[in-house]
Amino acid sequence: MLLVEQRPVVGGWASGYGCKAGTDCTLCAVCLAAASARRLNPDGHIVLQVDSSVTDIKGEPGAFTVRLLRRHRGVDLDRCTACGLCVEACPAGAIRQPHPQAIPLAFAIDAQQCLRASGDPCTWCRDVCPFDAIRLDSGECEESVQAGVVVLATGFSPFPPSRRGQFGYGRLHGVVTSMDLEQGLWERGSRYLNHLVPGCRRVAFVHCVGSRDVAIGRGWCSQVCCPTALRLAARLVREIPGLEVSLFHMDLQRCAPGIAGLFRDLPPDVHLVRGIPADVQSGPGGLVLTYEDLTTAVRERRAFDVVVLAVGMDGPAAISGLPDNGHGFLKDLPPGVVTAGACAGPLSIADAVADGLRAAGAALTLLEARQ
């Protein structure tokens, strides 16, 4: 079986998320995703090909031709031992160091950040590598493979927050997305907030940014934003004494697995405010949110140090010849092509893992039917 992954490591978005548990598990399922990745290739029957994308699928069950685009990585996976000498030698910081649980555990070169992209003949990383693992002259290439069944697990794309320009993402310092916060907590822990805004004491979460918004063609609920924001907020106030967090929402999803416990155990420094802010502006007290509190019908303005935009899920990048629902999520696929996870619609990590098992069973059934 060939497993094609478009990123340098497997695990999708969840590979950059951190655990949100305190004394008790909050069922965020990050550990479940990591455990699934660690079970890859236990018997040698799975061939893993990273840094590659599916660009076209043609054929029929039992005789598919899948076109792949393999991107420049700059590092030979079979030779790299992740010793880190190339990272220390690179003057441009262009070599990414994977996290300790990354699969595969090998480095990758950012071709755009590398000095060679501007014509510099730099070879420091290659010269220092004792395993001859650096491949500076490799580039993109296309190839085709044959398959009996195709399982698509291309995930989702985060809603681009720049489309809601009134919230200041990319323009106002301290405005980040929930995805940015996940990555920051994974890399730095709760120190991320102080790194972002020194002395941060007030954090606002704005829900439904790119979800349930018919005006921009995003009428669906992304399902994961409410429980994710609750988990992130609870973790922040647990780990940062004196931090106050407010969650601005239209209403909150109350049917997700484990969410009742999140409400029950919500720390007192996490405040729920029913009302989505009209905008975020820079003011003398920080980032100022203007909103109507729908429980009191009072228009208010409050200042925060950091504003987190809980962005929704969009469909993945399109694959030539495959139908979608008009928003990028795949549907009505031809026989022999099976979806798994969030490429067919918003799903939590736990639901995506379960859907992957369903897809594997469907693929096996199709293969057995052709024998």
Side-chain angles (χ1 to χ4, degrees), residues 188-210:
R188 298 174 178 269
S190 56
R191 300 185 304 275
Y192 170 70
L193 283 187
N194 195 62
H195 168 76
L196 185 65
V197 177
C200 175
R201 311 308 303 165
R202 304 160 299 174
V203 177
F205 282 78
V206 179
H207 284 234
C208 295
V209 179

Side-chain angles (χ1 to χ4, degrees), residues 87-171:
V87 176
E88 298 174 5
C90 179
I95 302 181
R96 299 190 300 271
Q97 185 174 18
H99 54 84
Q101 289 80 40
I103 300 173
L105 187 60
F107 291 97
I109 297 176
D110 186 329
Q112 295 182 334
Q113 191 174 349
C114 179
L115 295 178
R116 296 175 67 88
S118 59
D120 191 305
C122 176
T123 59
W124 285 27
C125 57
R126 185 174 65 189
D127 296 341
V128 77
C129 179
F131 304 103
D132 190 30
I134 304 298
R135 298 289 180 265
L136 295 175
D137 298 324
S138 59
E140 292 185 346
C141 64
E142 288 190 331
E143 60 181 312
S144 294
V145 297
Q146 303 301 309
V149 174
V150 177
V151 178
L152 295 176
T154 49
F156 69 95
S157 298
F159 173 77
S162 57
R163 290 196 58 184
R164 304 297 284 160
Q166 68 268 35
F167 295 136
Y169 185 80
R171 176 171 53 86

Side-chain angles (χ1 to χ4, degrees), residues 223-267:
Q223 300 189 31
V224 301
C225 312
C226 288
T228 295
L230 288 168
R231 292 184 177 107
L232 287 170
R235 175 181 171 179
L236 291 175
V237 299
R238 281 196 311 265
E239 297 183 0
I240 306 175
L243 184 72
E244 291 190 10
V245 179
S246 296
L247 279 67
F248 292 85
H249 62 93
M250 289 187 282
D251 48 41
L252 289 169
Q253 184 192 123
R254 294 179 179 267
C255 58
I259 200 167
L262 296 178
F263 281 112
R264 182 188 64 244
D265 301 330
L266 202 63

Side-chain angles (χ1 to χ4, degrees), residues 13-369:
W13 290 107
S15 66
Y17 295 169
C19 175
K20 313 203 181 37
T23 55
D24 298 312
C25 177
T26 62
L27 301 179
C28 71
V30 167
C31 57
L32 181 61
S36 298
R38 287 195 297 269
R39 289 197 294 269
L40 274 176
N41 208 27
D43 52 12
H45 292 305
I46 300 175
V47 177
L48 176 61
Q49 182 171 319
V50 294
D51 300 294
S52 302
S53 297
V54 175
T55 59
D56 190 32
I57 300 173
K58 292 181 179 178
E60 58 186 20
F64 284 108
T65 298
V66 182
R67 179 175 295 178
L68 306 175
L69 176 66
R70 180 177 292 190
R71 289 178 295 279
H72 170 78
R73 185 187 183 101
V75 177
D76 187 327
L77 295 176
D78 294 328
R79 291 178 174 271
C80 180
T81 64
C83 67
L85 292 177
C86 57
V87 176
E88 298 174 5
C90 179
I95 302 181
R96 299 190 300 271
Q97 185 174 18
H99 54 84
Q101 289 80 40
I103 300 173
L105 187 60
F107 291 97
I109 297 176
D110 186 329
Q112 295 182 334
Q113 191 174 349
C114 179
L115 295 178
R116 296 175 67 88
S118 59
D120 191 305
C122 176
T123 59
W124 285 27
C125 57
R126 185 174 65 189
D127 296 341
V128 77
C129 179
F131 304 103
D132 190 30
I134 304 298
R135 298 289 180 265
L136 295 175
D137 298 324
S138 59
E140 292 185 346
C141 64
E142 288 190 331
E143 60 181 312
S144 294
V145 297
Q146 303 301 309
V149 174
V150 177
V151 178
L152 295 176
T154 49
F156 69 95
S157 298
F159 173 77
S162 57
R163 290 196 58 184
R164 304 297 284 160
Q166 68 268 35
F167 295 136
Y169 185 80
R171 176 171 53 86
L172 299 177
H173 181 71
V175 178
V176 297
T177 68
S178 49
M179 306 292 287
D180 296 331
L181 179 59
E182 287 271 17
Q183 186 68 32
L185 290 174
W186 179 81
E187 293 176 347
R188 298 174 178 269
S190 56
R191 300 185 304 275
Y192 170 70
L193 283 187
N194 195 62
H195 168 76
L196 185 65
V197 177
C200 175
R201 311 308 303 165
R202 304 160 299 174
V203 177
F205 282 78
V206 179
H207 284 234
C208 295
V209 179
S211 297
R212 302 177 62 191
D213 192 338
V214 177
I216 58 171
R218 298 294 189 278
W220 62 89
C221 172
S222 292
Q223 300 189 31
V224 301
C225 312
C226 288
T228 295
L230 288 168
R231 292 184 177 107
L232 287 170
R235 175 181 171 179
L236 291 175
V237 299
R238 281 196 311 265
E239 297 183 0
I240 306 175
L243 184 72
E244 291 190 10
V245 179
S246 296
L247 279 67
F248 292 85
H249 62 93
M250 289 187 282
D251 48 41
L252 289 169
Q253 184 192 123
R254 294 179 179 267
C255 58
I259 200 167
L262 296 178
F263 281 112
R264 182 188 64 244
D265 301 330
L266 202 63
D269 288 330
V270 176
H271 309 288
L272 303 178
V273 182
R274 190 158 181 256
I276 299 296
D279 59 21
V280 179
Q281 298 292 335
S282 179
L287 297 168
V288 179
L289 275 62
T290 302
Y291 64 98
E292 180 183 356
D293 188 332
L294 297 181
T295 60
T296 61
V298 175
R299 186 173 181 271
E300 299 188 26
R301 289 168 57 86
R302 289 178 57 191
F304 295 87
D305 301 308
V306 169
V307 175
V308 182
L309 306 180
V311 292
M313 288 184 175
D314 279 2
I319 298 175
S320 175
L322 295 182
D324 61 46
N325 66 352
H327 303 295
F329 293 110
L330 302 176
K331 74 164 193 174
D332 299 331
L333 298 179
V337 180
V338 181
T339 62
C343 62
L347 288 177
S348 67
I349 295 175
D351 288 339
V353 171
D355 195 59
L357 295 175
R358 175 207 57 79
L364 289 174
T365 300
L366 288 169
L367 289 173
E368 291 171 354

